[in-house]
Amino acid sequence: MAESTRLVDLVHERIAGFVTDRASILTSVSEELDPLVDISRRFLSGGKRYRALFCYWGWQAASGEPDGFDPFADDEDSRPSTAVVGAASALEVFHAAALVHDDIIDNSDTRRGSPSAHRLFQSLHRSSGWAGDGADFGRSTAILHGDLLLGWSDELLDDALDELADRAAARRARGEFNRMRTEVTAGQYLDILEERAWPTRDESEFRERAENVIVYKSAKYSVLAPLVIGAAMAGGTDAQLSALRSFGLPLGIAFQLRDDLLGVFGDEQVTGKPSGDDLREGKRTMLIALAREQLPTGARRLLDELLGDPDLDDEQIRLLQSTIRESGAVDEVEALIARNVVRAITALTDAPLTRTARRELTALAETVTRRAA
Amino acid sequence: MAESTRLVDLVHERIAGFVTDRASILTSVSEELDPLVDISRRFLSGGKRYRALFCYWGWQAASGEPDGFDPFADDEDSRPSTAVVGAASALEVFHAAALVHDDIIDNSDTRRGSPSAHRLFQSLHRSSGWAGDGADFGRSTAILHGDLLLGWSDELLDDALDELADRAAARRARGEFNRMRTEVTAGQYLDILEERAWPTRDESEFRERAENVIVYKSAKYSVLAPLVIGAAMAGGTDAQLSALRSFGLPLGIAFQLRDDLLGVFGDEQVTGKPSGDDLREGKRTMLIALAREQLPTGARRLLDELLGDPDLDDEQIRLLQSTIRESGAVDEVEALIARNVVRAITALTDAPLTRTARRELTALAETVTRRAA
């Protein structure tokens, strides 16, 4: 765990240093860009850094270093760990960019307990006494802000991969990153499509469609890809990468199923998002698919009617929560989470990965699927 | 010119091949992503390809190939030209991404005479009979579509630079691309900021502020950076890159000033955007800054009042057009364009660049600043 803590600190430092460096370009253009720098700094300093951790432990798992080796030791040998810190930072900056755009798409006011980026820009508009519509300004500038962060994530990754002597490893890691970038965008598209297209689809497909969204929007993106990128950087063998995929996919599915539960039942104090947010957004998650399968026609119709209404009041949220809970869907999702975590951890047994990494990944599997449960 | 035509064809082929390749990833995720592929293909097939041309001629200018050398000859020597076609394609895909997001920001219904991307997604929503708000779906999916294209532009550039044997040249070109990406986002931010912040700024700054937007949103991005990226790929000397900057900056300014005139007076048949579009959007361009300086108080107040009203009717557009024209601002902008074109072309005289490139860049300078005049 000390290693994980150290990694998170190093990622934080790397990102902060990078932003300071890039801020000098922005400042040279105009001092009017200071808010863009401030909001970037603010957004990039938070988060649980799960993707960075998976990237690091993927790297460690395949690095073949003897147990007890200190990857952050201040000597020549620490070079590969500098590279993996850079890649982990790139993943975090990419994720921040995705969240900025995601919050515009979902019309979310909050992120990590603070205002979302477009709301921060909107506040800037108001406090500056500028003309025109503030909400519009907030959305527009947040689109640009996300674009800026996307570019920056890419620069961080390039810098990291440039440090690797093993060029084949660098190319492989870059390929995995690129594929992840295309796939997660596809997954996000399917996610928002599902909110609108579900009434025109066959009932029998709902569960499968929800699972496809989970796999691409989250499981591969949040867990599998970071692990594989890290392992590829370490020059991992096909067997090692394959073992990490067998661990990462079910764990990623469990991770998102937990997220779906938190999106409906989570405590605002813990999730940083208002309770029931996913209900107002109308997310068609696995939880909803399972609930619909179990509910009698009348209750199902009520669920369909209320889901996605942005103006749901607290009482309606509570009604939906209890409808979903009473359908038995929550228990089913909990069982699915448990089954997928077991599948993930089992994949680590006898996997050709370092002992330390197997131990830490097992612990991490518990952490990311039990959070705020 | 034959070389330019050939380049445009090769860029078109490269992009089409790339999209077909990436489409296979999307298709493997879900057939629901077909519209994303179709709209990508549609969007990436159009445009005047100015950025690709500047990249190519920047490369040619510094490549030191003898006159009469055929860079597209089908042999070993054609390798560097394959790389520059890739980089030129990357710039075009990046530009398409920027336009997709730009049209959301500006709430533009059309692009290149066809519906803008978010409007295409909105039509898809309507024709599919999906639930919820179609405009909202259009905007959300177009944000994701732009993100997808941003990632793809990056992949195209990486592939291109990987082909270069000269690693220092590749790194330099990548550095120029990265800086361009940050600077153009900064320029776009300042552009939309100006639409809202101008009433709170000092009148005396308007001209300078408009010029800063021109430089970063357009001059560096559309002309200077493509030239320098091309030249850097060819291993150009500092003197060569400096000469291209001295040509590119004034030409880029002239290019944007022409665009500003077209945004107010352009013919829809030619620009592919409704006439007077910039007036409805409230763009605070150099043209507007100069008009305001000359107009009497009453007319200036009327201009300020109408500018940025999305519901301006044809008569109001005509009134604004004649107000601006009568202020003398159009003549002033035309003079500025002419002066900057002369400055650009003069910078080519005796520049340490190939004769062919100097000739073609001179011709290109006329083309991009005289279009639809």
Side-chain angles (χ1 to χ4, degrees):
Chain A
M1 280 310 283
E3 223 169 311
S4 287
T5 310
R6 187 79 212 282
L7 186 268
V8 169
D9 289 346
L10 286 171
V11 164
H12 189 78
E13 278 170 36
R14 174 71 60 95
I15 293 175
F18 181 87
V19 173
T20 299
D21 195 66
R22 289 310 175 278
S24 70
I25 298 182
L26 296 178
T27 308
S28 74
V29 172
S30 166
E31 62 187 19
E32 302 268 18
L33 296 164
D34 288 349
L36 205 54
V37 176
D38 291 343
I39 292 175
S40 297
R41 227 186 276 284
R42 187 160 163 177
F43 251 77
L44 293 171
S45 66
K48 295 178 285 292
R49 307 289 194 209
Y50 287 151
R51 289 153 196 87
L53 285 167
F54 284 119
C55 179
Y56 176 76
W57 286 109
W59 173 78
Q60 214 278 357
S63 70
E65 299 294 354
D67 285 330
F69 167 79
D70 180 357
F72 302 122
D74 200 13
D75 59 27
E76 280 293 294
D77 290 338
S78 70
R79 193 109 200 263
S81 73
T82 315
V84 80
V85 168
S89 303
L91 288 170
E92 291 293 328
V93 174
F94 180 87
H95 188 55
L99 295 180
V100 168
H101 282 176
D102 224 37
D103 285 340
I104 304 172
I105 290 171
D106 291 340
N107 209 11
S108 295
D109 297 333
T110 53
R111 171 61 63 182
R112 296 167 182 168
S114 301
S116 49
H118 63 283
R119 293 293 180 218
L120 288 176
F121 285 112
Q122 184 176 353
S123 303
L124 173 70
H125 179 276
R126 190 175 45 241
S127 64
S128 305
W130 293 334
D133 181 57
D136 198 55
F137 177 79
R139 270 190 304 272
S140 296
T141 44
I143 290 177
L144 295 176
H145 184 227
D147 292 349
L148 186 71
L149 297 181
L150 283 178
W152 285 0
S153 74
D154 205 62
E155 290 187 50
L156 273 161
L157 186 71
D158 274 343
D159 289 350
L161 296 180
D162 273 351
E163 289 184 52
L164 293 182
D166 183 347
R167 297 318 297 157
R171 263 193 302 279
R172 193 171 190 179
R174 173 45 95 166
E176 295 291 343
F177 181 87
N178 290 345
R179 192 178 182 96
M180 171 201 86
R181 204 161 47 178
T182 290
E183 287 185 343
V184 71
T185 312
Q188 289 172 292
Y189 179 91
L190 294 179
D191 193 27
I192 60 176
L193 175 72
E194 207 55 20
E195 290 173 23
R196 278 88 174 179
W198 70 269
T200 64
R201 306 303 179 195
D202 198 279
E203 294 268 348
S204 66
E205 295 174 7
F206 285 1
R207 193 194 278 234
E208 195 188 335
R209 293 170 67 90
E211 187 165 294
N212 210 30
V213 170
I214 289 181
V215 167
Y216 289 100
K217 188 189 80 164
S218 185
K220 290 193 166 198
Y221 166 64
S222 306
V223 183
L224 188 149
L227 283 166
V228 170
I229 289 167
M233 288 179 73
T237 62
D238 287 345
Q240 288 178 316
L241 268 64
S242 167
L244 288 168
R245 287 181 214 275
S246 301
F247 166 74
L249 190 63
L251 179 59
I253 291 172
F255 172 77
Q256 182 56 40
L257 289 171
R258 171 65 59 214
D259 212 57
D260 289 349
L261 286 177
L262 291 173
V264 172
F265 300 100
D267 178 350
E268 180 164 1
Q269 297 299 317
V270 181
T271 64
K273 288 265 186 188
S275 187
D277 220 28
D278 277 4
L279 299 172
R280 291 193 187 86
E281 283 168 23
K283 290 254 170 281
R284 292 276 154 178
T285 60
M286 179 66 80
L287 177 69
I288 300 299
L290 295 176
R292 290 184 82 266
E293 285 178 15
Q294 301 303 328
L295 286 172
T297 316
R300 186 166 65 231
R301 206 170 288 154
L302 183 73
L303 175 72
D304 285 340
E305 232 163 69
L306 293 178
L307 209 64
D309 176 352
D311 301 322
L312 290 180
D313 62 27
D314 288 352
E315 198 180 331
Q316 288 170 309
I317 291 285
R318 273 193 298 273
L319 172 69
L320 280 173
Q321 285 171 331
S322 63
T323 303
I324 293 167
R325 196 182 292 280
E326 282 156 24
S327 76
V330 174
D331 294 339
E332 261 193 275
V333 171
E334 286 289 1
L336 271 177
I337 292 173
R339 212 177 312 146
N340 276 288
V341 172
V342 169
R343 198 174 296 159
I345 292 173
T346 307
L348 289 179
T349 323
D350 302 324
L353 306 168
T354 63
R355 208 171 42 143
T356 317
R358 280 185 287 146
R359 190 185 59 225
E360 293 291 334
L361 287 173
T362 303
L364 208 46
E366 304 282 337
T367 310
V368 306
T369 54
R370 295 260 157 102
R371 66 209 156 98
Chain B
M1 280 310 283
E3 223 169 311
S4 288
T5 310
R6 186 79 213 280
L7 185 268
V8 168
D9 288 346
L10 287 171
V11 164
H12 188 79
E13 277 169 36
R14 174 72 60 96
I15 293 175
F18 181 86
V19 173
T20 299
D21 195 66
R22 290 310 177 277
S24 70
I25 298 182
L26 296 178
T27 308
S28 74
V29 173
S30 166
E31 63 187 17
E32 301 270 15
L33 296 164
D34 288 349
L36 205 54
V37 176
D38 291 343
I39 292 176
S40 298
R41 227 185 277 283
R42 187 161 162 176
F43 250 77
L44 293 172
S45 67
K48 294 176 286 291
R49 307 288 194 210
Y50 288 151
R51 288 153 197 87
L53 286 166
F54 283 119
C55 179
Y56 175 74
W57 287 108
W59 173 79
Q60 214 279 358
S63 69
E65 297 296 354
D67 285 330
F69 167 78
D70 180 357
F72 301 121
D74 200 13
D75 59 26
E76 279 292 294
D77 290 339
S78 70
R79 195 109 200 265
S81 73
T82 316
V84 79
V85 168
S89 304
L91 287 170
E92 291 293 327
V93 175
F94 180 86
H95 188 55
L99 295 180
V100 167
H101 282 177
D102 224 38
D103 285 340
I104 304 171
I105 291 171
D106 291 341
N107 207 11
S108 295
D109 298 332
T110 54
R111 169 64 61 182
R112 297 168 180 166
S114 301
S116 49
H118 63 282
R119 293 293 181 218
L120 288 177
F121 285 111
Q122 184 176 351
S123 303
L124 173 71
H125 179 277
R126 189 175 43 240
S127 63
S128 305
W130 292 334
D133 181 57
D136 200 55
F137 177 78
R139 270 190 304 273
S140 296
T141 43
I143 290 176
L144 295 175
H145 184 226
D147 292 350
L148 186 71
L149 297 181
L150 282 178
W152 285 0
S153 75
D154 205 61
E155 291 187 51
L156 273 162
L157 186 71
D158 274 344
D159 289 350
L161 296 180
D162 273 352
E163 290 184 52
L164 293 182
D166 183 347
R167 298 316 299 157
R171 264 194 301 280
R172 193 170 189 180
R174 174 44 96 165
E176 294 291 343
F177 182 87
N178 290 346
R179 191 177 182 97
M180 172 201 86
R181 205 162 44 178
T182 290
E183 286 185 345
V184 70
T185 312
Q188 290 173 293
Y189 178 91
L190 293 179
D191 194 28
I192 59 177
L193 175 71
E194 207 56 20
E195 292 172 21
R196 278 87 173 180
W198 70 269
T200 65
R201 306 304 178 192
D202 198 280
E203 293 267 348
S204 66
E205 294 174 7
F206 284 3
R207 192 193 280 232
E208 196 189 334
R209 292 170 68 89
E211 188 166 293
N212 210 31
V213 170
I214 289 181
V215 167
Y216 288 100
K217 187 189 80 164
S218 186
K220 289 192 166 199
Y221 166 64
S222 305
V223 183
L224 187 149
L227 284 166
V228 170
I229 289 167
M233 288 178 73
T237 62
D238 287 345
Q240 288 178 317
L241 268 65
S242 167
L244 288 169
R245 285 182 214 275
S246 302
F247 166 75
L249 189 63
L251 178 60
I253 291 172
F255 172 78
Q256 182 56 41
L257 289 171
R258 171 64 58 213
D259 212 56
D260 289 348
L261 285 177
L262 291 173
V264 172
F265 299 100
D267 178 350
E268 181 164 359
Q269 297 299 318
V270 181
T271 64
K273 287 266 187 188
S275 186
D277 220 28
D278 277 5
L279 299 172
R280 291 193 187 88
E281 282 168 24
K283 290 253 170 281
R284 292 276 153 178
T285 60
M286 179 66 80
L287 177 69
I288 301 299
L290 294 176
R292 291 184 80 265
E293 284 179 17
Q294 299 303 329
L295 288 172
T297 316
R300 187 167 64 231
R301 206 170 287 153
L302 183 73
L303 175 71
D304 285 340
E305 233 162 69
L306 294 178
L307 209 64
D309 176 352
D311 300 320
L312 290 180
D313 62 27
D314 288 352
E315 198 180 333
Q316 287 171 311
I317 292 285
R318 273 193 298 274
L319 172 69
L320 280 172
Q321 285 172 330
S322 63
T323 304
I324 293 168
R325 197 182 290 281
E326 281 156 23
S327 77
V330 175
D331 294 338
E332 262 192 277
V333 171
E334 286 289 0
L336 270 176
I337 291 174
R339 212 178 310 148
N340 276 288
V341 173
V342 169
R343 198 175 295 158
I345 292 175
T346 308
L348 290 179
T349 324
D350 303 324
L353 306 169
T354 63
R355 209 170 43 141
T356 317
R358 281 185 287 145
R359 191 185 57 225
E360 293 292 335
L361 288 173
T362 303
L364 207 46
E366 303 283 337
T367 311
V368 305
T369 55
R370 293 259 159 101
R371 67 211 156 98

